[in-house]
Amino acid sequence: MNNFKKYFAEGLLIVFSVLFALLINKLFEDYKTNKKKTVAIESLRKELYRNSAILKNWKEQHIEIRNRINEVIEGRNDSLKTELMKYNYLNLGVLTKNESLIDAILTNTAWESAKSTGIIAEFDFETTQKLTYVYSMQDVLTNRTIAKIMDFYFDTNAHNMENIDQSLVQFQLRFWELTGQEELIGNLYTEAIKELKK
């Protein structure tokens, strides 16, 4: 009977030791995961803040360009139209005041890193949904809407000065779409940043 008690006690000690080691390992893994999640959230917040500031500058500039195009189309800025007509091509610099259409890049590095490392699986559904939406819309803005403006500008038909009014209307429509998307994405950035602060 004494041997049985001795073996039972040793068995319990072994089981307890294994379970305790597993618990310590689990706690350590959870700690590492939470640390990675915290770093990912902070990186995403910084990226969204940076992108939000860039977008704000873009929007201000693009609204100015859109308004100048509107003024020419509506006949409220004859001097700008006269300036455009000095060239045998549509000089976009006249409409942009010789400023670059895009002066900085909206990044998605933190988002792509969170996805590739798998840490995004630790985010709750609502956070993941908002981040997916904001980065998808950002992609549409940069890779489709702005690309469509540039594609139209590099189309030779846009530089036929006999049809300048039609070309300006095409630019006007594209800039309305651009500034509308910039407004939407600005709001999405704000919502996503709030979500990451929870």
Side-chain angles (χ1 to χ4, degrees):
M1 191 64 161
N2 280 341
N3 282 342
F4 175 74
K5 287 181 181 178
K6 180 181 167 188
Y7 291 137
F8 183 74
E10 286 177 3
L12 279 178
L13 186 59
I14 291 169
V15 169
F16 176 77
S17 299
V18 169
L19 291 176
F20 185 71
L22 289 172
L23 175 67
I24 295 296
N25 189 45
K26 173 76 171 119
L27 290 173
F28 183 67
E29 289 300 318
D30 287 349
Y31 169 78
K32 287 195 321 189
T33 300
N34 285 333
K35 192 150 180 93
K36 287 178 186 175
K37 181 180 174 185
T38 302
V39 169
I41 287 172
E42 186 58 29
S43 296
L44 285 162
R45 275 192 14 200
K46 285 179 182 176
E47 183 168 77
L48 291 172
Y49 273 123
R50 219 175 16 254
N51 286 352
S52 182
I54 290 168
L55 188 76
K56 184 180 177 205
N57 291 335
W58 281 14
K59 188 174 139 195
E60 289 171 4
Q61 181 189 8
H62 296 156
I63 286 173
E64 286 179 19
I65 295 168
R66 185 193 71 196
N67 290 345
R68 282 196 285 280
I69 294 169
N70 291 345
E71 288 173 2
V72 173
I73 290 172
E74 295 168 3
R76 292 184 288 125
N77 195 336
D78 291 335
S79 61
L80 189 58
K81 188 165 186 179
T82 302
E83 182 67 25
L84 282 168
M85 296 305 290
K86 287 181 182 177
Y87 302 90
N88 60 358
Y89 63 95
L90 182 58
N91 186 346
L92 194 59
V94 172
L95 298 173
T96 65
K97 292 187 176 178
N98 290 319
E99 293 179 10
S100 174
L101 191 61
I102 303 298
D103 60 355
I105 296 172
L106 299 176
T107 61
N108 64 351
T109 309
W111 174 241
E112 290 301 324
S113 297
K115 289 194 303 184
S116 66
T117 60
I119 198 65
I120 198 165
E122 298 297 321
F123 293 6
D124 64 71
F125 177 78
E126 193 172 334
T127 303
T128 304
Q129 187 177 33
K130 284 188 178 180
L131 289 170
T132 301
Y133 188 46
V134 74
Y135 279 103
S136 296
M137 285 304 300
Q138 179 179 295
D139 184 59
V140 168
L141 177 74
T142 55
N143 294 326
R144 292 188 193 161
T145 308
I146 293 172
K148 283 194 313 191
I149 291 172
M150 297 314 298
D151 287 345
F152 181 70
Y153 181 70
F154 288 112
D155 184 341
T156 54
N157 294 327
H159 296 282
N160 181 351
M161 297 308 282
E162 292 175 11
N163 297 327
I164 187 170
D165 292 334
Q166 291 173 349
S167 295
L168 288 173
V169 167
Q170 289 296 319
F171 271 114
Q172 178 191 42
L173 294 172
R174 285 167 171 79
F175 272 93
W176 273 106
E177 181 183 7
L178 176 64
T179 54
Q181 285 180 1
E182 288 170 340
E183 179 71 27
L184 171 65
I185 294 170
N187 293 333
L188 293 176
Y189 283 149
T190 302
E191 289 177 23
I193 289 167
K194 281 181 189 172
E195 186 68 29
L196 290 173
K197 286 181 178 177
K198 288 182 181 178

